[in-house]
Amino acid sequence: MNCEICQLKELDVEHFEIREVLRCILHTILFHRALGLVRPKDIDLELFEITYVQCGDVELERKTDEKIEQFIDRAEKHPNKKNQICLSFYEVKNKQPTWFTNKVERLYWEQWYINLNVAQHQKGHSGKSTSSKIVVDPGAEERTARRAALEASLRDVLFQIIRFVNEKKDHIPPVPNLEGVSFPYEITISSSSDSAFGMEMFKRMLQTGNPTMLS
Amino acid sequence: MEQIITEFFAKSLHIILESRCPYVSSRNYSGEQVLSSLSPSSSSSSSSSFRPRDKWFNLALRDCPAALENIDFWRQSNLEPMIVDVILLQRPIDWDPLNFSPKTGFVSGKERHYYGSDNEEFGCEGKNERIIERWVLQYESKKNGGSTGSKKRSNCTSSHALYKKSILLLRSLYATVRLLPAYKLFRDLTSSAHIRMYNLAHRVSSFVEPFTRREEADMQRFVFTPVDTSCGRLCLSVLYRSSVVDMGSDPSTPISPQFIPEYVGSPMAEPLKRFPSGFVSQSSPSSSPFGRRHSWSYDLYRASPPSANPSPSPSPTYSDSHASLAKQRCRRLPPPSLPHHVPDETLVAYMKTPSYDEYWPSPVFSPSPSPSPPTYVPNSHISKALLRCESAPVSIPVTKLSSMPSLPNKQLMPPSPPLKATLLTAAENIAHCFMLQLLSFSKDRLHQISGARPSVNSSPSKSFSSRLSFQDDYDDGPFVVEDDEILDPSSRQTEIRLAGKVPTWSGLFELPGHPNEPGGTLFVKRSQDAAVGALVRMLNKAPPLHQDLQGSTLQTPTNSVKDTTEISEEPRVQQSSASNIVSSGLGLVTSKTTANALEELHGYRKMKDSLLKLK
């Protein structure tokens, strides 16, 4: 069983946008993996003109919100770092208990990496009062442009998810649970402090030419 | 497997139309949301509310009658391609939402499309149609003859796998329809109560004309990964316009069309429509009996501009119109032709009746502004007087009514002022006419004055005392004539003659030492000012004082008139002076009360004293 990995397009988000962006992405993925009987719930983003779908599982919603809060805390503690959330779907394989291990093995068959580049707070907020007006006006335009770009990027990410779901269907194991999210999953948070993660990000930066590095 | 495919078609159509048909989704959305929100866990309670068709592909959707209506063709397992066109309807610019009426065919079509229930009978009159999305779903069956390795493998695909993949495909479809630009238009239509200048319609068919190259160049394509089956594959793709949002963002009318059943109009637009508020509760149109009234006033108001000439000049308020009409009567001795657009007979009747019954024993004078000329007394000799009389009181209401507070906004026009004015006018007219009758009667006796003074003095004095008493009852001048008539020599002669009958009256205002003054003129003054002016003129013309009249004039102050009874006694005492006064021709009859007359007497006394001193 191969594990399909999907590296989603990196998004440059501001601190207050993390929650909405992550909710949107995570729930979209989970909706595609909740293959049991669901009543979809449409959720409108407040910051963007995007409507995403939740599978309607309350427990799922709670868990994802928990993880998102953890991510936000981590992003605050470690600014200027690439932060990543990994949504993994696994199968539980009960290994035969040996004298080494008695734990349940998880066999990941799918992993989604959500890469967020949390932007720093703009220095213009602490600027002088005299020049605050001058600073705010171009700042507002910049924010608007950045917001529009982020919305477009987020839409691209969602389409990326849909395409991936469409293209990769064979690796999905048989559905164990018909209720809610059919497959066990886990959400892990990692930052660029991790070596592997850092290498990955470095490679991506070299390839894409991250604008934050160029600024 | 065929059932899976059939149901797949149905489900995909359901998903597409659910997010593109405004009415259906809005109707059922709230119900579905309630269900989902009430359930603490979506599994336990929501499962009970799932319908059989909801369980297909594990996707419970909201009701979509449009989808149910259209899927019958494909349920017959023809497996024809299904093409769903989502059409953006843009209303013309001059479409008026207030004139939204469900009666016209155009609008009925619009209603349907607004509610999204009909697609086949879509009318495109005067609308701009653009296909913004085209969904193509088809099942490509594979020929059994040609087979490759991959196809062999796909033959082994169980229906379970097909079902699972179909579920995934439909999940993707569900997410995709909400990411496409047309979804924003759909949400705008369903979320707000504004009337939009666009609408979404759909058309489901199995064969359509392909887009032109230019059209296709403007569209983007998204192709879902086909789901292979043993006998073919399910293919789903969409052509969509990415610039749909710009089309649909038209300014909307923030009101919903409502019919105002009893719209009358703003007071500013038609102020006079509120005129009969005192009479009718609703100021609505011609059904009220006073509809004519304010229509008349309104007409008068309208016709007000051309009113420079003494032709019937309409005025905004009724009272003013009445006064103006009266004015014109005053100016033209023959009764003027009233505005012909005044068929206000009801009003006339209303106004006429009380005055007629109460004050007018004989139809000599009509106080109301009826279009018909007032009927005059057949007596020719009085006719002129009556004309004068008629004109006299008429001018008074002018002054009276002009002094009335100007009605604000010409809205409040209670009937009492005009009625009052009319009644007052009527009363005045009656009084004046009585006086004129007396005057005319005394006129006949003027010829006898020279011959028999005492007799003249007695009778006319009595008559004039009665007249004076009459005068006391009315504040306004009993006899009012035009200024020009005063200067009329012919009338002057009559005035002179009349003066002889009024020795006492003229004696009241006799200037001492003015024997050669022009004959005591008894004339009628319009107002006190005019009377004083006339007096001044006379004084200027008056010859110097003579001593002959000293003796006689000295008597006059002794017999000061203080009330009507004294006046009646005067003629006997001042009989001698009366003749002088007649020759002097100074007499002044003003429209005053006794108190005013007394004041004038004092004034003249002072003048007399001063003149005597000068002498």
Side-chain angles (χ1 to χ4, degrees):
Chain A
M1 201 63 120
N2 53 345
C3 178
E4 297 288 345
I5 296 172
C6 180
Q7 289 281 357
L8 294 176
K9 182 180 164 184
E10 187 177 287
L11 297 173
D12 295 320
V13 296
E14 291 197 21
H15 211 77
F16 64 95
E17 293 167 339
I18 294 173
R19 188 175 285 106
E20 282 220 321
V21 167
L22 282 181
R23 270 189 192 157
C24 174
I25 295 171
L26 287 172
H27 280 287
T28 301
I29 297 169
L30 289 167
F31 175 68
H32 286 92
R33 292 292 174 254
L35 300 184
L37 182 57
V38 295
R39 193 182 293 274
K41 194 163 74 172
D42 299 341
I43 307 293
D44 300 324
L45 288 179
E46 293 175 4
L47 300 175
F48 311 100
E49 284 189 357
I50 291 174
T51 301
Y52 70 93
V53 190
Q54 286 185 7
C55 62
D57 193 325
V58 179
E59 184 63 27
L60 172 68
E61 204 172 330
R62 189 189 62 79
K63 282 174 87 173
T64 51
D65 285 345
E66 219 176 84
K67 288 293 178 181
I68 289 169
E69 290 302 322
Q70 287 180 13
F71 180 88
I72 291 171
D73 292 339
R74 190 151 187 176
E76 281 178 357
K77 287 174 187 174
H78 305 277
N80 285 332
K81 281 186 179 178
K82 306 289 181 185
N83 295 292
Q84 190 181 64
I85 277 191
C86 180
L87 175 59
S88 308
F89 295 95
Y90 59 89
E91 276 186 290
V92 178
K93 291 258 177 173
N94 290 325
K95 257 190 172 180
Q96 282 187 352
T98 61
W99 63 280
F100 292 113
T101 58
N102 200 12
K103 62 181 177 182
V104 175
E105 189 179 348
R106 287 181 177 182
L107 192 60
Y108 294 95
W109 52 271
E110 193 173 81
Q111 284 180 327
W112 301 82
Y113 290 96
I114 304 165
N115 301 296
L116 297 181
N117 184 17
V118 182
Q120 279 293 326
H121 290 293
Q122 289 185 2
K123 294 178 183 176
H125 291 297
S126 60
K128 295 177 184 178
S129 60
T130 54
S131 62
S132 62
K133 278 190 180 179
I134 302 167
V135 171
V136 166
D137 288 335
E141 287 179 6
E142 207 177 302
R143 274 198 297 275
T144 307
R146 197 201 58 76
R147 182 75 58 81
L150 177 58
E151 185 178 319
S153 297
L154 183 56
R155 211 180 284 272
D156 291 341
V157 167
L158 297 177
F159 271 108
Q160 190 181 1
I161 294 169
I162 291 169
R163 282 196 203 93
F164 187 88
V165 167
N166 271 267
E167 289 166 5
K168 313 280 187 198
K169 290 173 188 163
D170 297 329
H171 65 286
I172 299 172
V175 181
N177 184 12
L178 285 176
E179 299 292 336
V181 180
S182 310
F183 309 101
Y185 65 96
E186 70 172 2
I187 299 172
T188 53
I189 301 168
S190 61
S191 63
S192 58
S193 60
D194 295 345
S195 60
F197 176 78
M199 283 304 295
E200 236 2 85
M201 292 309 298
F202 183 74
K203 283 180 190 174
R204 210 174 299 123
M205 276 187 289
L206 286 172
Q207 289 168 4
T208 60
N210 198 323
T212 56
M213 293 297 292
L214 297 171
S215 63
Chain B
M1 188 172 293
E2 282 185 2
Q3 192 181 14
I4 292 173
I5 294 169
T6 305
E7 290 300 324
F8 179 84
F9 271 61
K11 205 76 174 185
S12 55
L13 181 65
H14 194 158
I15 292 169
I16 293 167
L17 294 184
E18 180 199 46
S19 61
R20 298 291 184 267
C21 289
Y23 172 68
V24 174
S25 297
S26 63
R27 190 182 65 180
N28 296 310
Y29 187 72
S30 58
E32 294 291 341
Q33 285 291 72
V34 167
L35 281 168
S36 62
S37 62
L38 284 175
S39 62
S41 63
S42 60
S43 57
S44 56
S45 57
S46 60
S47 58
S48 59
S49 62
F50 288 125
R51 287 161 297 189
R53 67 165 179 268
D54 292 338
K55 296 183 180 176
W56 274 101
F57 305 101
N58 292 332
L59 198 60
L61 302 172
R62 295 184 288 264
D63 285 338
C64 186
L68 294 173
E69 288 170 6
N70 289 288
I71 202 57
D72 293 338
F73 176 72
W74 283 272
R75 283 192 188 279
Q76 295 168 9
S77 69
N78 289 332
L79 300 179
E80 296 276 341
M82 185 170 71
I83 299 166
V84 183
D85 285 338
V86 179
I87 301 154
L88 176 68
L89 306 169
Q90 284 181 305
R91 292 167 191 164
I93 299 168
D94 57 351
W95 184 80
D96 184 9
L98 289 178
N99 293 330
F100 189 82
S101 167
K103 291 181 183 177
T104 61
F106 173 80
V107 177
S108 63
K110 180 128 298 274
E111 268 185 328
R112 282 191 206 155
H113 291 294
Y114 184 78
Y115 293 128
S117 60
D118 194 358
N119 54 353
E120 301 287 334
E121 301 166 15
F122 167 70
C124 52
E125 303 164 357
K127 297 177 207 169
N128 185 21
E129 289 181 31
R130 291 188 79 175
I131 298 174
I132 56 173
E133 278 182 3
R134 174 167 284 175
W135 299 83
V136 179
L137 176 60
Q138 57 187 3
Y139 180 72
E140 295 173 359
S141 59
K142 296 172 189 174
K143 290 179 183 178
N144 292 328
S147 62
T148 59
S150 61
K151 284 186 180 178
K152 279 181 181 177
R153 277 197 295 274
S154 65
N155 288 334
C156 300
T157 308
S158 62
S159 57
H160 182 73
L162 170 62
Y163 190 69
K164 187 169 77 175
K165 289 180 181 177
S166 303
I167 291 173
L168 289 168
L169 180 55
L170 290 171
R171 294 275 204 275
S172 301
L173 175 62
Y174 192 92
T176 306
V177 293
R178 280 150 180 78
L179 291 175
L180 291 179
Y183 186 68
K184 185 182 181 302
L185 298 177
F186 165 76
R187 290 298 298 271
D188 288 342
L189 284 171
T190 54
S191 59
S192 68
H194 293 188
I195 296 175
R196 300 279 175 180
M197 298 304 291
Y198 62 89
N199 200 359
L200 285 178
H202 58 272
R203 182 162 51 217
V204 184
S205 56
S206 65
F207 179 76
V208 288
E209 287 183 5
F211 288 123
T212 62
R213 275 200 178 176
R214 189 168 59 178
E215 284 174 338
E216 210 161 318
D218 295 336
M219 304 180 95
Q220 295 179 8
R221 183 185 291 272
F222 185 82
V223 180
F224 294 88
T225 304
V227 176
D228 291 326
T229 65
S230 57
C231 303
R233 63 178 194 169
L234 279 169
C235 301
L236 178 60
S237 64
V238 58
L239 271 171
Y240 65 96
R241 288 185 189 274
S242 55
S243 61
V244 150
V245 178
D246 297 331
M247 276 185 233
S249 59
D250 294 328
S252 61
T253 310
I255 54 169
S256 57
Q258 288 180 0
F259 291 103
I260 305 168
E262 295 172 356
Y263 181 71
V264 177
S266 67
M268 296 310 294
E270 293 178 276
L272 295 169
K273 268 203 170 182
R274 287 176 58 179
F275 182 89
S277 58
F279 299 95
V280 287
S281 58
Q282 287 181 358
S283 58
S284 50
S286 47
S287 58
S288 68
F290 297 94
R292 275 178 176 175
R293 175 200 222 156
H294 52 274
S295 68
W296 172 47
S297 309
Y298 190 72
D299 290 337
L300 288 176
Y301 177 66
R302 267 189 191 169
S304 58
S307 63
N309 48 5
S311 60
S313 58
S315 59
T317 58
Y318 177 69
S319 63
D320 289 340
S321 66
H322 175 72
S324 66
L325 291 169
K327 254 185 181 174
Q328 64 188 345
R329 271 193 229 164
C330 159
R331 285 173 189 174
R332 297 184 191 173
L333 292 180
S337 59
L338 291 172
H340 294 287
H341 57 275
V342 181
D344 205 352
E345 296 164 357
T346 56
L347 172 63
V348 167
Y350 177 80
M351 301 297 274
K352 249 188 182 176
T353 311
S355 62
Y356 189 90
D357 293 335
E358 296 176 27
Y359 299 101
W360 199 249
S362 60
V364 174
F365 184 75
S366 167
S368 63
S370 62
S372 62
T375 57
Y376 290 117
V377 179
N379 296 331
S380 60
H381 71 281
I382 303 177
S383 63
K384 205 177 180 184
L386 275 174
L387 280 172
R388 235 187 272 168
C389 162
E390 184 188 345
S391 62
V394 164
S395 55
I396 292 167
V398 171
T399 56
K400 275 187 93 75
L401 292 170
S402 61
S403 64
M404 283 169 65
S406 60
L407 304 174
N409 293 333
K410 302 160 191 172
Q411 291 177 3
L412 301 177
M413 193 58 191
S416 51
L419 176 59
K420 241 187 193 176
T422 310
L423 291 174
L424 182 62
T425 308
E428 288 168 355
N429 291 335
I430 293 156
H432 303 160
C433 289
F434 272 126
M435 288 179 204
L436 279 176
Q437 281 178 4
L438 291 170
L439 187 62
S440 64
F441 179 71
S442 60
K443 238 188 195 178
D444 297 332
R445 291 206 172 185
L446 272 176
H447 301 286
Q448 304 173 6
I449 290 171
S450 59
R453 284 179 189 172
S455 61
V456 171
N457 289 332
S458 59
S459 54
S461 65
K462 282 179 186 173
S463 63
F464 279 101
S465 63
S466 62
R467 184 173 68 81
L468 285 170
S469 62
F470 227 115
Q471 284 179 5
D472 292 340
D473 295 341
Y474 297 94
D475 296 336
D476 297 324
F479 296 102
V480 180
V481 293
E482 296 293 334
D483 288 333
D484 49 359
E485 288 185 11
I486 295 166
L487 300 173
D488 188 12
S490 59
S491 60
R492 194 161 195 167
Q493 287 177 1
T494 56
E495 288 165 356
I496 291 169
R497 283 182 214 157
L498 289 171
K501 298 189 305 174
V502 201
T504 59
W505 189 251
S506 60
L508 290 173
F509 304 99
E510 175 198 5
L511 283 179
H514 286 79
N516 295 330
E517 287 176 357
T521 306
L522 173 64
F523 51 85
V524 183
K525 283 294 177 183
R526 178 183 290 180
S527 63
Q528 294 185 10
D529 296 333
V532 171
L535 176 63
V536 168
R537 279 197 294 275
M538 287 212 158
L539 288 171
N540 291 332
K541 294 172 192 173
L545 292 172
H546 289 265
Q547 295 180 359
D548 297 338
L549 294 173
Q550 276 185 0
S552 60
T553 55
L554 281 172
Q555 293 178 10
T556 52
T558 59
N559 300 318
S560 60
V561 177
K562 294 196 177 176
D563 52 12
T564 55
T565 55
E566 289 178 348
I567 291 167
S568 58
E569 292 170 8
E570 278 295 308
R572 296 174 206 161
V573 177
Q574 296 181 359
Q575 184 179 351
S576 58
S577 62
S579 59
N580 295 328
I581 290 161
V582 169
S583 60
S584 64
L586 177 63
L588 185 63
V589 177
T590 60
S591 57
K592 298 183 187 62
T593 58
T594 310
N596 293 334
L598 192 60
E599 286 174 7
E600 279 193 8
L601 172 66
H602 290 306
Y604 285 119
R605 267 195 200 165
K606 288 177 186 173
M607 285 168 68
K608 171 193 153 186
D609 293 335
S610 64
L611 287 167
L612 285 171
K613 284 177 189 173
L614 286 172
K615 194 184 175 184

